[in-house]
Amino acid sequence: QVQLQESGPGLVKPSQTLSLTCTVSGGSITTAYYYWTWVRQAPGKGLEWIGYITYDGDTYYNPALNSRTSISRDTSNNQFILQLKSVTPEDEAVYYCARTIVKTWGLAHDYWGQGTQVYVSS
């Protein structure tokens, strides 16, 4: 069974970089044709797609966040990492990682981590 676990700081100072790690077990992040995705949900808001890294290392980001976002991977530890630069309080949210597969209608996420709360405060 595939499991995903987010980890990282719960508090980040404004203007600094948020770094979160998703550790995957029960399946390899290099297995075709899965993608590995970051999603977030701010209070009172819906889910916002941040971006993904594919099984072969290509990355794709939400255009609204593209300039501040980097997703990378550590295949030795079966992890993928989100970096979000220059954070503000608008970036406060619960951050989720998920496994993704492309459907004819769009992206489907079949496994999710439990989410991790991130606050932005000085």
Side-chain angles (χ1 to χ4, degrees), residues 5-77:
Q5 176 70 58
E6 303 91 346
S7 62
L11 179 65
V12 183
K13 294 181 178 180
S15 83
Q16 296 195 339
T17 297
L18 169 66
S19 183
L20 297 174
T21 297
C22 184
T23 301
V24 179
S25 62
S28 174
I29 63 172
T30 65
T31 296
Y33 296 95
Y34 296 113
Y35 301 172
W36 304 92
T37 295
W38 287 99
V39 177
R40 69 182 184 181
Q41 186 169 33
K45 304 290 187 178
L47 292 170
E48 181 180 31
W49 177 72
I50 299 171
Y52 61 71
I53 187 164
T54 72
Y55 61 94
D56 59 351
D58 292 334
T59 55
Y60 299 88
Y61 307 130
N62 184 337
L65 301 169
N66 179 73
S67 65
R68 298 193 291 132
T69 304
S70 178
I71 298 175
S72 58
R73 63 181 183 167
D74 179 351
T75 57
S76 296
N77 291 301

